[in-house]
Amino acid sequence: MADTGIGKGFNMQMQSSWYERIAAPRTSTCLACRKTIPYYGEIANLGAEDWRRPLCTSCLEHIPFIDEVGCSSCGRHIRCEDCQRQPLQSYGLAYNRSVVQYHDHMKEWLAMCKYKGDQSFARVMAGMMIERYMPLALTAKVNKPARSTSDWWTMLKEWWNPESIIEVPDLITYVPSSLERLEERGFNQAELLAGYLAKAWGRPLLSCLDRVRDMGKQSQQSRAGREHSLEGTFVWNKEAFQGIRFYIARQPKPHLHILLVDDVYTTGSTIRACASALREGLNEIRIPGMISSYTWARA
Ligand SMILES: [Zn+2]
Ligand SMILES: [Zn+2]
């Protein structure tokens, strides 16, 4: 075909869009394994319910979800002795729930989020946490509102849809990161996750805890050493608890539910230390409340 020069730019434009649409349909790569997957656009534009889209079917199939809660206290998939030795309730924590078992590839996901600074993973992890919250909370009997047998409406609702009677927590908070880690990574992944949860549920995100003392390398310490080293690491933040007071004054609650968020529950020492500090704060402002924790993974 002779090139007349007239309308060339126009034709080229048509050609490129045709080419894009037909000859080379846009594709994306799986966030975890880089396999080619259908195009999902920008991860920042995806809703929480779309968390599966940046992952390939194989990666999705291999997510070790905790479908059956083996320990009603810490949410582990099997019964555990830890909770008998150190009941979470004695630290002021009602229970913990987690979405996945901390298997090797889940460790890789977290490492990508934590150490490579890929915050896209936090969106996927938060999407998983939002989706699984209700069924997991339902396994914690303590979260069910007390009802009398005459409350037929609640009973009917519970029979029809058990999840409908579980309320999302009133306030969301998170395990604070050390200043050193924050400078190193530029963000605190627990705060990121908590922020997504708070936004999805329309609940306030409060920075209720301060890390006052940095422990040594956690992973190199024995369990006892670790528990000891965490003593006094976290303190409740006075301003945040003042905020809780205002919140309660505005919308009175018979029982405040604070959710403590972290990425992973390993021995539970961090969660326990944080819960103790939160409990102290609640006692100080004389507000009756329940503290539960929610982590993406449970080792
Ligand atoms: Zn994949
Ligand atoms: Zn347990």
Side-chain angles (χ1 to χ4, degrees), residues 54-190:
L55 299 165
C56 73
T57 41
S58 163
C59 284
L60 283 170
E61 270 168 23
H62 290 95
I63 297 175
F65 279 116
I66 299 179
D67 290 316
E68 297 266 332
V69 173
C71 176
S72 62
S73 196
C74 70
R76 202 174 178 190
H77 69 289
I78 47 168
R79 280 172 64 91
C80 69
E81 280 160 24
D82 287 15
C83 292
Q84 277 153 13
R85 204 166 37 227
Q86 292 169 304
L88 295 183
Q89 284 84 355
S90 61
Y91 295 85
L93 187 70
Y95 60 87
N96 173 76
R97 285 295 176 270
S98 309
V99 181
V100 297
Q101 296 170 47
Y102 203 33
H103 283 182
D104 283 350
H105 55 292
M106 295 294 102
K107 284 181 188 169
E108 281 166 25
W109 285 25
L110 190 62
M112 276 191 250
C113 175
K114 253 174 151 166
Y115 307 107
K116 292 188 185 165
D118 188 353
Q119 296 185 30
S120 340
F121 254 106
R123 285 187 90 89
V124 172
M125 286 153 67
M128 294 165 79
M129 289 177 85
I130 292 161
E131 186 177 290
R132 305 292 281 204
Y133 182 77
M134 288 297 171
L136 285 170
L138 200 66
T139 64
K141 292 181 188 77
V142 68
N143 196 9
K144 284 191 192 178
R147 59 168 167 79
S148 63
T149 42
S150 61
D151 190 0
W152 61 271
W153 176 237
T154 310
M155 285 170 71
L156 189 70
K157 274 204 295 185
E158 187 175 351
W159 172 77
W160 184 252
N161 177 14
E163 287 178 24
S164 71
I165 59 153
I166 302 288
E167 287 187 350
V168 293
D170 300 302
L171 294 168
I172 321 291
T173 192
Y174 52 88
V175 173
S177 170
S178 69
L179 208 61
E180 193 190 346
R181 292 271 177 287
L182 209 58
E183 275 172 1
E184 195 180 305
R185 291 175 199 151
F187 63 96
N188 171 6
Q189 68 286 348

